[in-house]
Each structure stands twice: as C-alpha cells, then as structure tokens.
Amino acid sequence: MATTTITKPETLVGKRIRRREDPRLITGTATYVDDIKLPGMYYAAILRSPHAAAQIKSIDISKAKALKGVAAVFIGKDTETAGAVPCAASLPGLRVPYHNLLALDRVYLVGHPVAVVVATDRYIARDGVELIEVDYEPTAAVADPEKALEPGAPAVHPQWADNIAYTFHQEGGNTAQAFAEADVVVKQRIVSQRVIPNALEGRAVVADWRAAERSLTLFTSTQAPHGVRSIVAQILGLEENRFRVVAPEVGGGFGSKMQVYAEEILMSYISMRLNKPVKWIESRRETALCTIHGRGHVDFYEIAAKRDGTITGIKLKIIQDLGAYFTLMTPAMPTLSVMMMPGLYRTANVAADIVGVFTNCTPTDAYRGAGRPEATHGIERMIDMLAVELKMDPAEIRLKNFVRNEEFPFATATGLLYDSGDYAAPLHKAMDMVGYEKLRQEQAAARAEGKLMGVGISAYGEICAFGPSPATPAGGWESASVKVEPSGKVTALVGVSSHGQGHETTFAQIVADELGIDIDDILISHGDTALVQYGIGTFGSRSTAVGGTALYFALQELKPKIKKFGAVLLESDDVTFSGGQVTCNKTGKSVGFKAVAASAYRAMKLPPNTEPGLMATYFWEPPNFTFPFGAHICVTEVDRETGAIRLVRYVAVDDCGNILNPLIVDGQVHGGVAQGLGQALWEQAVYDDSGQLITGEFTDYVMPRAHMMPWIESAHTVTPSPVNPLGVKGVGEAGTIGASPAVVNSVVDALSTLGIRHIDMPMTPEKIWKLIAGRTA
Ligand code: MCN
C-alpha cells in the first residue's frame, strides 16, 4: 500500500510567490456585489441632504411614488422601527447621538440620508429621487472642530451645546516633574487633516429576503461579514442562523468597510418589507460624503528633554473632529493615538488629553493606520523639532532615545507591552541605503548653491494584530477550519476577510508547508458566513498574526489524525508526518497525503478512537498585540519658483517579524506609502464654513496617481514576534504610518534655511510657494 510520491519537498513561506488571486482581478472576471443580479431585483437610490444643518419642515414623495417603475419610497418615519446605525466604542461619559437610518425632523450633515426610492432599475430610482420635494429650513452649521469648541458656536446636536462628545485623560509616570526639570521644552500645534478613503470599489449592497424561509442573504462589500451579520441581525431582529452575509470580491476598504453602515441595514429592511431583492451601489460622490473619513486631528504637542537629547516627557492634547455622528469605532480612534504617542522611545512620562468634538461633517473612523499615523506624525515631527532646537542630527537623537534591545518586552508609559524590537536596525539600514553621511554632504553643497534640498527621517512603531479580546469590543480572537476532501484537496476556511491583502496566497503558503502539499491543491475560503465558522474580520493588520496563527493551529490539530490514518495504512504504530508523507520509522516506507485523505473517508479500517474524515477547527486568542516598526527616509527638492516638491528618493525599511511572502509585503508597503504620501502632499477633505464638502470629487480631491509616486526602495529587517508561533507582525498599515512624517520632515528640512520649522499637511505647491514667498519677501 505504500507509495513514494514526494509531492512538495520545498517550503513556500518566505518566498516571493505571485498572488494567486490576481489573474481573476486583472482580467476583470472576479465577482463584485454589483455583478450580482437576482430575479425580480429592485434598485435603490438615496436622497441626501444638501444642507449641513437644517430642520425638515416637510417631505413630499407623491411625485416620486407616481413615477412608473417606482416600487416604493421610504422616509425617516417609515424606518424608525428599523433601529439606528450602531457605535461599538464605549468611553466614560460618552455622549452617543442617535444615528437614525433616515433623517427624521433634522439633518446634521451634507449627505445625510433623507429618503430611499426603490424602483425596477437604477435610473428610474435616481429619477424618483429627483422628484422628492423637501422643505428644509437651514440652520447654522460648524465644520471646524476648533471653531465648534468656541463659545456660541452652533450646536451640532441641540441637546449638547458645547459640541463635546467626551473628554479623556491618560497619564503615565510624572510629566509635571519631567517638564519642571527639563533643559528644553518644544511646543507645536500639528494638524493631521481629514482625508477620504477611496477604495477602487465603493460600497455596495444586495439584500435578498425570502419570507417563506425566514432567511436573509446580504451581499455587501465589507471587511467583516460576521460582524455585519451579528449587528444587523440584532438591529432587525433576524435569526443569525438564517441570515447569511457574503462579502464577494471586495475592491479595497482601507478600514472604511469594517463598519456597519445605514445602507446595509436599510436594504435588509427594505427587502423584508417588499419581499424582493434590492440593490444599492454607492456613487463616488456618496463615497466622499457618506463613507467614513479618516484622521481629523488637531494636536498640541509639548516635548521635554535634557540638553544631551534625552527625551524626558511628552504632553499631547488632541482635538478630534468626530463628525456629526458615530460609526462603529469613531470615538475610539484618538485613544489609539494616545496608546502610541511615545512612538519607539523610552520616555516614561506622558500625559494625554482628548476632546472629542461634534461637527456637521461626515463621521471619522478607521482609515489605514487608524490613530497610529496621527501619533507617529506627531511624535516624529516633534523629534525633528527637538533635534533642530538642540542642534543634533535627527538620526542621532532617535538612536539615543529608542527602546533598547535588552528592554523587551517593554512596558510603555501608556500601558502597552511592546513585544520585541531592534529599533536601530531599520534606521541604520535605511541610512546605509541612502548613504546618509554622503547625502548630508550633498545637501550642504546644494544649499551652498541656493537649492532647497531636504532629508527626512521617520522611525515608526505601530500597534497591530488586534488583539486580545479584552481590548476589542467584539472579541480579538480569530478562527480557521481546515477541511481535507477525499481527493486530498484542501480548503482552509478563515474568519478574516481579505479585500486586497493577498490572503489566498500567503495563507495557502502556510497550509502548503504544514501539510507538505502542492499550493494548487489548496483553496482559501473566506467572506461567507454560511461557509465559514465565525470570524472577527480584517482590520488593524491582524489577519496574519491572529488569523494566520489560528490557521497554523488548526493544521497542528489535523496532523495527529493524518498520522493515525497513515499508521493504519502502513500497519505501523511508529510513524512521522512530514513533507506530505507519513513514513514508518522502522521500515522507511511511506504513504502520501492523498492516499491518507482517501482512507480517512473510505474508513475501511479506522484507527482506534478515531472518527472518519479529516477536518479541524481552531479559534485562537492572542496573548498580546504585535508591534511592528521601521524607518523611512525621504529625500526631497523644493522648487523655489513654484513651491513644487520633487520626491528624489524614498527608502522604506520595515520590520514585520518573519515574512510569509516578501513580494506581498513589499506591495503592502508600496500601497501604504502611497496613501501616506497622499496625506502628506495632496489629499484633504475641505469643508467651507457652511459645512459643504468642497473636495467631494476627484477633480478637487487629489489622489496620488502612478506618475506622482516616487520609486520606493523597500527593505526589511526581521525581528520575530514572540506573541505567535509564526513570529509574524502586521504590515498592512505600516507604509501609511511611516510615510507622512518622513516627507514632511524632509520638506521642513529643505526649507529650514528659510527659518521654517513646521508645515501642516497637505504640503500643496500653493502652500509651499506662499511660505517661500513670505520668507523671501
Ligand atoms: N504578510 C506577510 N508577512 C508578514 C505580515 C503580513 O506576508 N509578516 C502578508 C499577509 O499574509 C497579507 C498581507 O501581508 O497577505 C497583509 O497582512 P497583515 O499585515 O496581516 O494585514 P491584514 O491582512 O489584516 O490587512 C489589513 C490591513 C489594513 S488594516 C488595511 S487598512 C489595509 C491593508 O491591510 N487595507 C488594504 N492593506 C490593504 N491592501 C489592499 N490592497 N486593500 C486594502 O483595502
């Protein structure tokens, strides 16, 4: 019975395997929500408020209802029983506004949904929207969080005149003493402006209620299908076991799709009311107005230090622009910034205050990095300013203050336990790559010629792999099942839900290595609650460290059973399983994985105390977060005449522990850097004083295009995490977190000869030109 087929001797983890999901994506044959067409399906379009703040005096839907092809029109009072958009974050004293699905008597932001028209096609639905007459009485609005705090500012929610949703204070060590004894204190107001997540695919929903079966299927472009199912089921009183949520192909999310949005609840509700499938597809304008925004910080930093550059204390006050309402995690975002405020530095004394402020704007929530880019931007700008003050090299001051290798695991002043690190290693590597000393000489020569050349460093750390369950509202574990078919084909069902990250490749690499089988025999399945055991979802760069580990443990559960079935086939009780073979240790005879799989299902002769079949499930609770880190260096040249910034070199050295797939990790870093550069240089959600979003289209909102990107030279150092057996940390957000301070530090360095010490983002040519013109004059 023994075979000698060696199917796969080499290991795949650590190799640059091309993404297995790409052929269907780049040939346009993948199935997105908008590709789903169901018999008798209706289409929905949403009327949204043109005002940032207004009373609704009346709504006349009669003309819309009379339009041929319109099946129904819903307004606020029709959907009152359908509940509200949920917020899962809780903080002491938090004021949570009731976030209704459709406006009742007031609107609180431009884009506030007012009515839904359901029709036989999407064009009729849009025409129906045009026919609704709403009598609004506009009231004063406020779109700037600092102005919202001024006495007499318009109240976003009339019941809370001060516009304050909450305040929060956290302190570690003795900041008062640190500042009292400091040789030098540097202060700066730093803005991390509001930006708009723009995934290639906007949000999209198809809801299909089958009354006879009491079942609902919701196809939605989400990062967390199980979370959507639990929350929508609770809101609408649905039975979770008859409610299937499917995330088909998801064209990016960047955090914005980890939410439960009004449209997901509304379409489910409408499908149930009409007993018909109904589809809603977001327009680009709706993305800008109605999907969450990111960042929205005004930060006030103070940093205390000794003359030798030792940082002794950090104080931070964050004014967080929350928007008019909360989505799932809105109020929690700046608390993540507070957690990461010491960055990679040893400082034992920190004090932070947050003021969460309502404005008549789109809610802010998790956008790639979620709180950590703001924290990194702040501390990395402050370190540079301190270096200028102390006339130290920005690399030297960082190296002096980094947590030292022997101090890990390192307890921070904000209550975290950094798992592992060698913070100097990526900085040294990045400095080697750019030829730091020579670069500074070139800069001196360029300056002598009157050129504006800058070198900017950022050293970032991030908290990711969310996370131990006590630290996450819906649980921080992850799950995986491994199912072996009789033919030896293997399906891994993972609770995380990839939407561009490449899990179908990296997770298959784990399976291939652990089972010693061909990667083509493996299917990674995710994003369908009817197929996959419960999972938490993909966000916070957690999928590999938490979901990948759950998968690893599910595979370990399976191995003893594979051995048992192999032992029966080999008629031996002394076998090993490796490289896809069960081998008898005495005779050297072996049997291949496929034969073992077949025998487990044929079950002619079962091993003692063993049931037929080959399947294992594992739910893994991580003991801690993981803390990746890295160093980016950006070289810029600024044109004196136009203010244009040229990105001359960009070096990114990241450490995400052991690397499963360097090709994918580089891709993640490149994409992340693009978003960080977008924030640093071009992107901004600009509201006018009346609360109109004036950068709500791609003509005004400048996304980085391919030709605007520099060549990114990426490299890695490897410091395994002790938190999980794979030794991995997250990388999905790293590029974004490291990028913005590297670029801003570089441009400020370029302009430092003109006496410029800080520039807020985005550093548009106009802003830079005005700064230069002001100094030159
Ligand atoms: N990886 C690896 N080795 C490591 C760490 C990660 O090979 N040591 C691989 C992973 O297996 C995975 C990818 O790198 O294929 C990212 O893994 P991870 O850091 O675990 O992050 P997640 O998979 O949890 O993805 C979430 C993260 C976040 S929070 C945002 S926001 C984000 C991002 O990933 N949004 C993205 N990357 C994105 N990429 C695309 N294309 N689209 C998005 O919306």
Side-chain angles (χ1 to χ4, degrees):
M1 183 60 225
T3 75
T4 47
T5 345
I6 307 289
T7 40
K8 211 200 71 46
E10 67 164 343
T11 54
L12 295 185
V13 165
K15 301 246 161 68
R16 297 178 81 83
I17 311 285
R18 287 192 179 196
R19 288 171 29 126
R20 303 163 79 217
E21 43 276 85
D22 281 353
R24 67 172 189 271
L25 297 174
I26 58 182
T27 54
T29 47
T31 304
Y32 294 84
V33 173
D34 201 15
D35 296 316
I36 294 162
K37 292 183 179 63
L38 300 175
M41 188 165 75
Y42 283 153
Y43 296 81
I46 300 176
L47 173 71
R48 298 184 183 272
S49 167
H51 303 288
Q55 283 300 130
I56 296 179
K57 291 168 74 184
S58 65
I59 305 180
D60 183 354
I61 57 170
S62 55
K63 286 186 192 144
K65 272 182 112 168
L67 184 68
K68 192 168 177 295
V70 167
V73 179
F74 294 88
I75 60 171
K77 67 176 169 41
D78 303 319
T79 57
E80 256 182 303
T81 54
V85 180
C87 170
S90 68
L91 286 163
L94 181 67
R95 292 165 167 175
V96 183
Y98 189 80
H99 187 166
N100 45 10
L101 302 179
L102 292 174
L104 291 167
D105 53 353
R106 271 188 78 84
V107 289
Y108 295 87
L109 70 158
V110 175
H112 198 145
V114 172
V116 185
V117 177
V118 185
T120 48
D121 76 37
R122 65 182 70 185
Y123 307 102
I124 297 174
R126 281 242 61 91
D127 287 347
V129 161
E130 301 296 321
L131 293 173
I132 298 174
E133 287 165 12
V134 186
D135 187 6
Y136 295 102
E137 187 175 290
T139 55
V142 62
D144 177 307
E146 286 178 295
K147 287 187 185 158
L149 290 174
E150 286 171 7
V156 175
H157 297 282
Q159 68 273 33
W160 300 313
D162 57 9
N163 288 321
I164 295 177
Y166 70 97
T167 58
F168 175 91
H169 177 78
Q170 187 174 337
E171 191 152 358
N174 189 339
T175 327
Q177 190 182 346
F179 275 77
E181 293 173 0
D183 294 332
V184 53
V185 171
V186 175
K187 299 182 186 184
Q188 183 61 45
R189 174 183 181 274
I190 297 176
V191 178
S192 282
Q193 80 278 23
R194 248 181 196 266
V195 286
I196 304 176
N198 276 295
L200 267 179
E201 183 206 19
R203 290 184 298 120
V205 180
V206 170
D208 183 18
W209 168 251
R210 303 284 166 97
E213 295 150 24
R214 299 204 319 263
S215 77
L216 179 75
T217 304
L218 182 69
F219 300 91
T220 179
S221 184
T222 182
Q223 301 173 212
H226 283 94
V228 170
R229 189 186 64 171
S230 289
I231 293 172
V232 177
Q234 204 180 14
I235 291 169
L236 295 179
L238 289 160
E239 298 161 271
E240 228 174 334
N241 55 352
R242 292 170 187 266
F243 181 10
R244 177 182 177 198
V245 175
V246 186
E249 207 73 69
V250 174
F254 309 110
S256 71
K257 293 178 183 168
M258 65 172 267
Q259 304 293 330
V260 176
Y261 282 101
E263 292 83 358
E264 287 165 320
I265 309 165
L266 273 172
M267 295 310 132
S268 301
Y269 175 77
I270 290 170
S271 178
M272 292 167 74
R273 284 278 303 269
L274 302 180
N275 209 5
K276 285 274 203 175
V278 53
K279 178 188 273 190
W280 171 78
I281 304 293
E282 184 182 61
S283 68
R284 273 292 155 197
R285 180 84 187 154
E286 286 178 305
T287 305
L289 287 172
C290 312
T291 292
I292 57 108
H293 289 177
R295 323 288 186 244
H297 268 219
V298 182
D299 294 332
F300 296 88
Y301 271 95
E302 293 181 42
I303 188 163
K306 294 286 176 199
R307 181 95 7 235
D308 69 355
T310 307
I311 301 164
T312 51
I314 309 166
K315 285 195 220 169
L316 168 62
K317 179 181 174 184
I318 300 173
I319 296 179
Q320 171 71 51
D321 179 354
L322 300 164
Y325 282 123
F326 299 156
T327 45
L328 218 46
M329 296 305 292
T330 300
M333 287 303 110
T335 63
L336 289 170
S337 310
V338 170
M339 283 183 190
M340 289 311 300
M341 67 181 269
L344 300 181
Y345 308 105
R346 305 174 69 228
T347 322
N349 308 305
V350 299
D353 284 285
I354 302 172
V355 186
V357 185
F358 291 118
T359 56
N360 293 101
C361 301
T362 301
T364 49
D365 206 309
Y367 172 53
R368 204 168 193 172
R372 290 99 87 204
E374 298 90 316
T376 305
H377 193 77
I379 187 69
E380 289 304 290
R381 282 295 304 119
M382 292 309 293
I383 299 280
D384 257 35
M385 274 183 262
L386 185 62
V388 170
E389 183 74 25
L390 295 172
K391 299 190 172 47
M392 283 178 79
D393 183 276
E396 186 195 342
I397 195 166
R398 286 177 169 85
L399 291 164
K400 185 175 186 71
N401 286 284
F402 280 155
V403 175
R404 294 171 191 147
N405 292 5
E406 64 277 12
E407 291 174 321
F408 290 99
F410 179 79
T412 73
T414 53
L416 299 172
L417 193 67
Y418 289 177
D419 56 345
S420 62
D422 179 356
Y423 295 162
L427 180 53
H428 280 137
K429 193 163 191 168
M431 289 166 75
D432 285 348
M433 284 168 74
V434 292
Y436 189 72
E437 273 184 34
K438 194 159 166 272
L439 200 60
R440 287 292 183 199
Q441 288 162 11
E442 284 171 24
Q443 184 185 35
R447 280 181 175 166
E449 290 172 26
K451 287 189 186 151
L452 301 172
M453 173 184 169
V455 181
I457 296 175
S458 89
Y460 75 90
E462 63 157 319
I463 177 174
C464 70
F466 293 81
S469 293
T472 32
W477 47 267
E478 212 29 270
S479 73
S481 291
V482 183
K483 200 168 70 169
V484 182
E485 304 295 349
S487 59
K489 298 280 180 187
V490 174
T491 305
L493 303 124
V494 290
V496 292
S497 196
S498 185
H499 49 280
Q501 290 84 356
H503 299 167
E504 286 169 48
T505 308
T506 49
F507 286 11
Q509 289 174 256
I510 298 175
V511 178
D513 280 5
E514 290 303 315
L515 298 182
I517 61 173
D518 199 297
I519 198 165
D520 285 337
D521 286 339
I522 301 160
L523 174 71
I524 304 296
S525 188
H526 60 86
D528 184 342
T529 62
L531 286 177
V532 176
Q533 70 295 330
Y534 206 97
I536 303 294
T538 290
F539 52 88
S541 301
R542 68 189 299 278
S543 301
T544 314
V546 191
T549 303
L551 177 58
Y552 173 84
F553 278 121
L555 290 160
Q556 306 317 311
E557 296 263 297
L558 204 61
K559 284 182 182 177
K561 209 170 168 190
I562 295 170
K563 272 174 73 176
K564 281 187 188 175
F565 280 108
V568 169
L569 291 176
L570 293 165
E571 297 174 337
S572 165
D573 54 7
D574 180 14
V575 295
T576 47
F577 174 53
S578 119
Q581 302 285 311
V582 180
T583 305
C584 172
N585 292 333
K586 289 187 190 121
T587 64
K589 283 186 178 171
S590 60
V591 60
F593 179 76
K594 287 185 178 167
V596 173
S599 77
Y601 287 91
R602 218 166 43 240
M604 300 297 277
K605 198 173 168 202
L606 287 175
N609 304 319
T610 308
E611 76 277 17
L614 266 184
M615 184 167 175
T617 299
Y618 204 90
F619 283 62
W620 191 61
E621 170 68 28
N624 190 5
F625 308 97
T626 68
F627 296 87
F629 55 93
H632 292 197
I633 298 184
C634 176
V635 183
T636 54
E637 261 174 34
V638 180
D639 186 321
R640 271 181 196 273
E641 303 302 320
T642 63
I645 294 162
R646 193 164 80 83
L647 299 165
V648 181
R649 277 190 84 176
Y650 197 98
V651 169
V653 183
D654 297 273
D655 192 321
C656 57
N658 292 332
I659 296 175
L660 299 185
N661 185 328
L663 187 66
I664 286 184
V665 163
D666 284 349
Q668 286 291 310
V669 171
H670 290 185
V673 168
Q675 279 170 304
L677 296 184
Q679 170 124 28
L681 295 168
W682 305 290
E683 297 183 45
Q684 184 169 20
V686 181
Y687 284 88
D688 70 12
D689 286 344
S690 69
Q692 290 294 336
L693 177 63
I694 54 176
T695 55
E697 307 274 353
F698 283 144
T699 43
D700 313 300
Y701 189 87
V702 186
M703 295 277 290
R705 272 90 162 154
H707 75 273
M708 294 149 83
M709 288 292 292
W711 182 257
I712 297 164
E713 302 164 57
S714 62
H716 304 278
T717 58
V718 175
T719 311
S721 172
V723 171
N724 59 68
L726 299 172
V728 292
K729 304 185 180 192
V731 78
E733 296 156 289
T736 310
I737 294 169
S740 74
V743 185
V744 176
N745 285 345
S746 182
V747 174
V748 171
D749 185 45
L751 301 186
S752 60
T753 47
L754 303 176
I756 286 161
R757 103 186 240 288
H758 177 69
I759 306 170
D760 273 325
M761 304 179 288
M763 299 184 298
T764 56
E766 183 195 4
K767 185 185 277 180
I768 300 298
W769 178 82
K770 279 182 178 160
L771 270 175
I772 296 172
R775 299 294 159 143
T776 316

PDB file of all heavy atoms in Angstrom, residues 536-552:
ATOM      1  N   ILE A 536     -13.728  37.365  13.144  1.00  0.00           N
ATOM      2  CA  ILE A 536     -13.865  38.777  13.535  1.00  0.00           C
ATOM      3  C   ILE A 536     -13.694  39.689  12.316  1.00  0.00           C
ATOM      4  O   ILE A 536     -14.476  40.606  12.110  1.00  0.00           O
ATOM      5  CB  ILE A 536     -12.842  39.152  14.638  1.00  0.00           C
ATOM      6  CG1 ILE A 536     -13.025  38.238  15.860  1.00  0.00           C
ATOM      7  CG2 ILE A 536     -12.972  40.614  15.035  1.00  0.00           C
ATOM      8  CD1 ILE A 536     -14.320  38.374  16.612  1.00  0.00           C
ATOM      9  N   GLY A 537     -12.684  39.441  11.482  1.00  0.00           N
ATOM     10  CA  GLY A 537     -12.561  40.249  10.268  1.00  0.00           C
ATOM     11  C   GLY A 537     -11.166  40.806  10.060  1.00  0.00           C
ATOM     12  O   GLY A 537     -10.273  40.630  10.889  1.00  0.00           O
ATOM     13  N   THR A 538     -11.027  41.507   8.925  1.00  0.00           N
ATOM     14  CA  THR A 538      -9.725  42.031   8.520  1.00  0.00           C
ATOM     15  C   THR A 538      -9.656  43.529   8.750  1.00  0.00           C
ATOM     16  O   THR A 538     -10.341  44.305   8.083  1.00  0.00           O
ATOM     17  CB  THR A 538      -9.469  41.679   7.040  1.00  0.00           C
ATOM     18  OG1 THR A 538      -9.254  40.266   6.971  1.00  0.00           O
ATOM     19  CG2 THR A 538      -8.239  42.377   6.496  1.00  0.00           C
ATOM     20  N   PHE A 539      -8.871  43.900   9.712  1.00  0.00           N
ATOM     21  CA  PHE A 539      -8.594  45.316  10.013  1.00  0.00           C
ATOM     22  C   PHE A 539      -7.439  45.308  11.007  1.00  0.00           C
ATOM     23  O   PHE A 539      -7.061  44.243  11.534  1.00  0.00           O
ATOM     24  CB  PHE A 539      -9.837  46.017  10.604  1.00  0.00           C
ATOM     25  CG  PHE A 539     -10.435  45.288  11.776  1.00  0.00           C
ATOM     26  CD1 PHE A 539      -9.987  45.531  13.063  1.00  0.00           C
ATOM     27  CD2 PHE A 539     -11.439  44.339  11.596  1.00  0.00           C
ATOM     28  CE1 PHE A 539     -10.519  44.850  14.140  1.00  0.00           C
ATOM     29  CE2 PHE A 539     -11.978  43.647  12.677  1.00  0.00           C
ATOM     30  CZ  PHE A 539     -11.515  43.900  13.964  1.00  0.00           C
ATOM     31  N   GLY A 540      -6.862  46.479  11.263  1.00  0.00           N
ATOM     32  CA  GLY A 540      -5.816  46.567  12.285  1.00  0.00           C
ATOM     33  C   GLY A 540      -4.643  45.626  12.020  1.00  0.00           C
ATOM     34  O   GLY A 540      -4.011  45.158  12.971  1.00  0.00           O
ATOM     35  N   SER A 541      -4.356  45.367  10.765  1.00  0.00           N
ATOM     36  CA  SER A 541      -3.231  44.480  10.380  1.00  0.00           C
ATOM     37  C   SER A 541      -3.156  43.274  11.311  1.00  0.00           C
ATOM     38  O   SER A 541      -2.122  42.994  11.926  1.00  0.00           O
ATOM     39  CB  SER A 541      -1.908  45.264  10.390  1.00  0.00           C
ATOM     40  OG  SER A 541      -1.994  46.345   9.504  1.00  0.00           O
ATOM     41  N   ARG A 542      -4.287  42.567  11.394  1.00  0.00           N
ATOM     42  CA  ARG A 542      -4.414  41.457  12.342  1.00  0.00           C
ATOM     43  C   ARG A 542      -4.496  40.100  11.672  1.00  0.00           C
ATOM     44  O   ARG A 542      -4.372  39.061  12.327  1.00  0.00           O
ATOM     45  CB  ARG A 542      -5.652  41.667  13.226  1.00  0.00           C
ATOM     46  CG  ARG A 542      -6.994  41.561  12.467  1.00  0.00           C
ATOM     47  CD  ARG A 542      -8.180  41.991  13.327  1.00  0.00           C
ATOM     48  NE  ARG A 542      -8.383  41.196  14.513  1.00  0.00           N
ATOM     49  CZ  ARG A 542      -9.015  40.021  14.527  1.00  0.00           C
ATOM     50  NH1 ARG A 542      -9.521  39.526  13.408  1.00  0.00           N
ATOM     51  NH2 ARG A 542      -9.148  39.355  15.640  1.00  0.00           N
ATOM     52  N   SER A 543      -4.759  40.076  10.353  1.00  0.00           N
ATOM     53  CA  SER A 543      -5.136  38.812   9.726  1.00  0.00           C
ATOM     54  C   SER A 543      -4.039  37.770   9.797  1.00  0.00           C
ATOM     55  O   SER A 543      -4.309  36.595  10.039  1.00  0.00           O
ATOM     56  CB  SER A 543      -5.516  39.046   8.261  1.00  0.00           C
ATOM     57  OG  SER A 543      -6.572  39.949   8.201  1.00  0.00           O
ATOM     58  N   THR A 544      -2.807  38.180   9.584  1.00  0.00           N
ATOM     59  CA  THR A 544      -1.724  37.197   9.551  1.00  0.00           C
ATOM     60  C   THR A 544      -1.361  36.764  10.961  1.00  0.00           C
ATOM     61  O   THR A 544      -1.302  35.562  11.254  1.00  0.00           O
ATOM     62  CB  THR A 544      -0.497  37.806   8.846  1.00  0.00           C
ATOM     63  OG1 THR A 544      -0.967  38.435   7.664  1.00  0.00           O
ATOM     64  CG2 THR A 544       0.525  36.755   8.500  1.00  0.00           C
ATOM     65  N   ALA A 545      -1.138  37.748  11.826  1.00  0.00           N
ATOM     66  CA  ALA A 545      -0.693  37.413  13.185  1.00  0.00           C
ATOM     67  C   ALA A 545      -1.784  36.666  13.955  1.00  0.00           C
ATOM     68  O   ALA A 545      -1.486  35.756  14.722  1.00  0.00           O
ATOM     69  CB  ALA A 545      -0.299  38.687  13.922  1.00  0.00           C
ATOM     70  N   VAL A 546      -3.058  37.019  13.747  1.00  0.00           N
ATOM     71  CA  VAL A 546      -4.123  36.367  14.522  1.00  0.00           C
ATOM     72  C   VAL A 546      -4.800  35.272  13.681  1.00  0.00           C
ATOM     73  O   VAL A 546      -4.876  34.119  14.111  1.00  0.00           O
ATOM     74  CB  VAL A 546      -5.156  37.408  15.036  1.00  0.00           C
ATOM     75  CG1 VAL A 546      -6.081  36.757  16.059  1.00  0.00           C
ATOM     76  CG2 VAL A 546      -4.457  38.610  15.674  1.00  0.00           C
ATOM     77  N   GLY A 547      -5.253  35.622  12.469  1.00  0.00           N
ATOM     78  CA  GLY A 547      -5.923  34.627  11.611  1.00  0.00           C
ATOM     79  C   GLY A 547      -4.957  33.576  11.096  1.00  0.00           C
ATOM     80  O   GLY A 547      -5.284  32.385  11.046  1.00  0.00           O
ATOM     81  N   GLY A 548      -3.766  34.011  10.703  1.00  0.00           N
ATOM     82  CA  GLY A 548      -2.757  33.067  10.206  1.00  0.00           C
ATOM     83  C   GLY A 548      -2.357  32.100  11.308  1.00  0.00           C
ATOM     84  O   GLY A 548      -2.120  30.908  11.058  1.00  0.00           O
ATOM     85  N   THR A 549      -2.316  32.593  12.531  1.00  0.00           N
ATOM     86  CA  THR A 549      -1.966  31.719  13.655  1.00  0.00           C
ATOM     87  C   THR A 549      -3.091  30.726  13.930  1.00  0.00           C
ATOM     88  O   THR A 549      -2.826  29.545  14.215  1.00  0.00           O
ATOM     89  CB  THR A 549      -1.641  32.565  14.905  1.00  0.00           C
ATOM     90  OG1 THR A 549      -0.578  33.457  14.569  1.00  0.00           O
ATOM     91  CG2 THR A 549      -1.228  31.701  16.070  1.00  0.00           C
ATOM     92  N   ALA A 550      -4.345  31.180  13.845  1.00  0.00           N
ATOM     93  CA  ALA A 550      -5.478  30.250  14.017  1.00  0.00           C
ATOM     94  C   ALA A 550      -5.374  29.134  12.977  1.00  0.00           C
ATOM     95  O   ALA A 550      -5.585  27.950  13.280  1.00  0.00           O
ATOM     96  CB  ALA A 550      -6.795  31.004  13.875  1.00  0.00           C
ATOM     97  N   LEU A 551      -5.009  29.516  11.767  1.00  0.00           N
ATOM     98  CA  LEU A 551      -4.860  28.523  10.700  1.00  0.00           C
ATOM     99  C   LEU A 551      -3.715  27.553  11.027  1.00  0.00           C
ATOM    100  O   LEU A 551      -3.854  26.329  10.858  1.00  0.00           O
ATOM    101  CB  LEU A 551      -4.588  29.254   9.373  1.00  0.00           C
ATOM    102  CG  LEU A 551      -4.331  28.404   8.147  1.00  0.00           C
ATOM    103  CD1 LEU A 551      -5.490  27.462   7.868  1.00  0.00           C
ATOM    104  CD2 LEU A 551      -4.075  29.299   6.915  1.00  0.00           C
ATOM    105  N   TYR A 552      -2.627  28.105  11.509  1.00  0.00           N
ATOM    106  CA  TYR A 552      -1.471  27.269  11.871  1.00  0.00           C
ATOM    107  C   TYR A 552      -1.883  26.237  12.933  1.00  0.00           C
ATOM    108  O   TYR A 552      -1.572  25.061  12.831  1.00  0.00           O
ATOM    109  CB  TYR A 552      -0.342  28.173  12.395  1.00  0.00           C
ATOM    110  CG  TYR A 552       0.831  27.419  12.957  1.00  0.00           C
ATOM    111  CD1 TYR A 552       1.831  26.934  12.127  1.00  0.00           C
ATOM    112  CD2 TYR A 552       0.931  27.189  14.328  1.00  0.00           C
ATOM    113  CE1 TYR A 552       2.911  26.230  12.643  1.00  0.00           C
ATOM    114  CE2 TYR A 552       2.007  26.489  14.853  1.00  0.00           C
ATOM    115  CZ  TYR A 552       2.978  26.007  14.009  1.00  0.00           C
ATOM    116  OH  TYR A 552       4.040  25.307  14.527  1.00  0.00           O
TER     117      TYR A 552
END
